[in-house]
Amino acid sequence: MLTSRPKGTNDILPGEVRKWHYLEGVIREICREYGYSEVRTPIFEHTELFLRGVGDTTDVVEKEMYTFEDKGRRSISLRPEQTACVVRAYVENKLYALPQPVKVYYAGPMFRYANVQAGRYRQFHQFGVEVLGSKDPAVDAEVITMAMDFYQRLGLRDIELHINSVGCRKCRPVHREKLQSYLASRVKSLCKLCQSRFDRNPMRILDCKEDTCRELSREAPTTTDCLCEECAAHFEKVKKYLDDVGVNYIVDNRLVRGLDYYTNTAFEIMASDIGAQSSIGGGGRYDGLIEEVGGPATPGIGYALGIERIIATMERQGLEFPAEGRLDVFIASLGDKAGQEAFKLVYDLRRDGLAAEIDLMGRSLKAQMKFANKFDTSYTVILGEEEIEKGAAVVRDMKSGEQQEVPLDGIKDYLLKAVGEII
């Protein structure tokens, strides 16, 4: 019998999930303020979507996708990222007929068969946004400032924003030709992966993390060296918008991102990680992607942020997560009659919106009170045979320690009022 989870996956247990709830709450709030609506797409798609959208020369498609043949002999892949999925939904559901731009966000699991290491899993979770339908540089600046605003709301420190322009279909071939010319005499000294990229996707060589490749390409032509007039003007406007709102950035001309669909603006957000730089999110513009998957020529831009990495960074920086699991009322009971009365009362309190709990383990009164303390309970109701006979229960304010007798027929209203005053 299998008794362990698959490698590269995690169980998010009750004590840990509160951190996820907190992040998800911040996500929903910031998306509401910025005017983004949630979209939910299937966890698996036709493999062709990722071949055409993400690019068949990327590491994601070549090495990391979970692809299988279903019972209808169709090639299906678990989504390795969600931009292509959102674009497919935009085209299939004709969202281009709505007032533009369409602004959506998502949060959910992605799947990549990658080497498992700190902050990198085979099932991982991302929060992302996509803006479809506008090529305005202000949109680029909005999604970037929104991402930085999100991190600031979480209280993260030492965050760096790296930006670049990777050009368009007009100026990208110019860069490709110059880059290949520069690397031609050096190609045999590159790592095996970069040697394979030389003909297929030489721009990715600039993104290689191998020291030898970085040194060999250190003086190589960059995308910003080769931008056409339109792309250069677009990038200057994006930087001006960021300057106007005081968002600091580093122009990183080696930043090319890992997926083929990026055009113009590309950005990555780094967090200091024990002396090194660690990416906790990034994105960019993809003006040809919608057309590539069968839709009308439509500009788009977005980003994705890794939730596991964000939580790990918050923990590393010692940031506090709000408490979760607070109980409004715990009903401690002794005896069968008291237990029946407690069951009815807890049912009524829950229907009126209070977080209420009873003992389900047959604990002693002392153990029940100790159990209630674990959940930062506001009020405890003590019910025993004596209280049932008197028609009254003891209500204890767990913060002050004060307690008083309250008639059973008025105890629900008493607790609703008392808890309401705390809230």
Side-chain angles (χ1 to χ4, degrees):
M1 181 175 69
L2 295 177
T3 57
S4 62
R5 63 183 183 271
K7 185 177 180 179
T9 64
N10 276 320
D11 297 314
I12 306 171
L13 301 177
E16 185 73 11
V17 80
R18 67 183 178 88
K19 301 174 183 177
W20 292 69
H21 288 169
Y22 169 62
L23 254 66
E24 290 160 3
V26 177
I27 286 168
R28 285 191 294 271
E29 183 61 20
I30 196 170
C31 287
R32 182 191 66 81
E33 293 173 3
Y34 278 74
Y36 288 74
S37 300
E38 186 178 9
V39 64
R40 300 187 183 190
T41 66
I43 285 178
F44 59 87
E45 299 268 3
H46 294 292
T47 302
E48 183 186 8
L49 173 66
F50 302 115
L51 294 176
R52 293 178 63 183
V54 175
D56 57 6
T57 65
T58 62
D59 290 350
V60 171
V61 170
E62 285 190 322
K63 302 176 180 179
E64 298 177 354
M65 285 209 306
Y66 281 91
T67 299
F68 59 94
E69 192 175 87
D70 70 5
K71 293 185 178 181
R73 301 182 72 92
R74 293 172 290 257
S75 181
I76 298 294
S77 293
L78 300 181
R79 63 188 185 198
E81 58 95 51
Q82 203 161 336
T83 298
C85 308
V86 171
V87 166
R88 190 267 311 147
Y90 177 87
V91 173
E92 184 174 354
N93 295 284
K94 297 181 174 59
L95 299 186
Y96 46 79
L98 298 176
Q100 304 295 293
V102 172
K103 299 166 67 174
V104 298
Y105 78 94
Y106 59 82
M110 314 294 158
F111 305 86
R112 295 185 190 180
Y113 189 87
N115 291 329
V116 179
Q117 52 188 282
R120 187 180 178 111
Y121 304 99
R122 292 175 178 172
Q123 177 179 309
F124 58 100
H125 298 75
Q126 288 183 335
F127 153 53
V129 308
E130 312 292 349
V131 183
L132 308 165
S134 174
K135 194 175 175 60
D136 194 321
V139 176
D140 304 40
E142 177 183 288
V143 299
I144 292 172
T145 54
M146 180 187 182
M148 297 300 287
D149 188 2
F150 175 66
Y151 290 128
Q152 288 169 359
R153 294 187 190 201
L154 297 178
L156 289 175
R157 305 180 301 275
D158 303 322
I159 301 298
E160 286 186 356
L161 167 64
H162 292 230
I163 64 172
N164 191 25
S165 177
V166 296
C168 66
R169 292 177 179 177
K170 184 165 60 176
C171 54
R172 189 83 65 80
V174 176
H175 175 249
R176 179 189 181 96
E177 182 179 345
K178 289 186 177 181
L179 182 59
Q180 285 181 316
S181 176
Y182 176 86
L183 292 172
S185 62
R186 301 168 172 84
V187 64
K188 291 184 179 179
S189 300
L190 297 172
C191 71
K192 293 295 183 182
L193 179 57
C194 284
Q195 288 181 32
S196 71
R197 287 169 170 167
F198 180 78
D199 289 318
R200 297 181 305 161
N201 194 352
M203 187 171 67
R204 290 296 316 283
I205 295 174
L206 298 177
D207 194 40
C208 184
K209 301 302 186 289
E210 294 287 338
D211 289 340
T212 300
C213 296
R214 293 188 70 82
E215 181 59 29
L216 289 170
S217 63
R218 186 164 55 88
E219 301 296 331
T222 66
T223 55
T224 49
D225 295 330
C226 305
L227 295 179
C228 64
E229 186 175 337
E230 183 181 353
C231 288
H234 185 99
F235 193 41
E236 288 303 313
K237 287 183 179 179
V238 173
K239 291 189 289 184
K240 180 64 166 59
Y241 280 122
L242 296 176
D243 291 337
D244 286 346
V245 295
V247 173
N248 296 321
Y249 57 85
I250 296 169
V251 176
D252 182 352
N253 55 25
R254 297 185 69 93
L255 174 62
V256 298
R257 302 288 293 158
L259 306 179
D260 283 355
Y261 53 61
Y262 285 110
T263 59
N264 293 114
T265 307
F267 65 94
E268 198 154 355
I269 301 167
M270 313 284 192
S272 295
D273 186 9
I274 318 176
Q277 289 293 319
S278 177
S279 173
I280 54 174
R285 183 165 281 283
Y286 47 84
D287 290 346
L289 180 57
I290 294 172
E291 191 175 2
E292 183 66 32
V293 299
T298 308
I301 186 171
Y303 63 74
L305 313 179
I307 293 179
E308 284 92 345
R309 290 192 179 191
I310 292 171
I311 291 175
T313 303
M314 292 179 69
E315 291 173 336
R316 191 166 56 247
Q317 294 189 1
L319 298 178
E320 293 290 332
F321 292 85
E324 186 178 81
R326 180 186 179 92
L327 274 179
D328 296 319
V329 180
F330 182 84
I331 305 171
S333 62
L334 288 175
D336 290 341
K337 287 184 179 180
Q340 290 175 344
E341 188 67 32
F343 187 85
K344 289 188 293 182
L345 178 56
V346 78
Y347 175 76
D348 286 341
L349 292 174
R350 288 167 175 167
R351 292 191 68 188
D352 280 301
L354 297 192
E357 189 61 271
I358 58 174
D359 176 51
L360 299 171
M361 298 299 293
R363 297 178 178 91
S364 67
L365 180 60
K366 182 179 179 180
Q368 289 183 59
M369 299 299 285
K370 186 176 180 181
F371 179 77
N373 272 325
K374 291 182 179 179
F375 294 92
D376 195 20
T377 306
S378 298
Y379 291 92
T380 298
V381 177
I382 302 172
L383 269 176
E385 300 298 332
E386 183 179 339
E387 284 75 19
I388 295 297
E389 289 180 9
K390 291 172 61 176
V394 175
V395 177
R396 178 180 295 179
D397 184 326
M398 297 295 282
K399 185 174 182 180
S400 68
E402 296 178 0
Q403 59 185 48
Q404 65 182 90
E405 212 170 60
V406 179
L408 288 177
D409 58 6
I411 196 166
K412 184 177 79 167
D413 291 338
Y414 176 89
L415 291 168
L416 287 170
K417 181 180 179 182
V419 172
E421 290 175 352
I422 294 175
I423 296 172

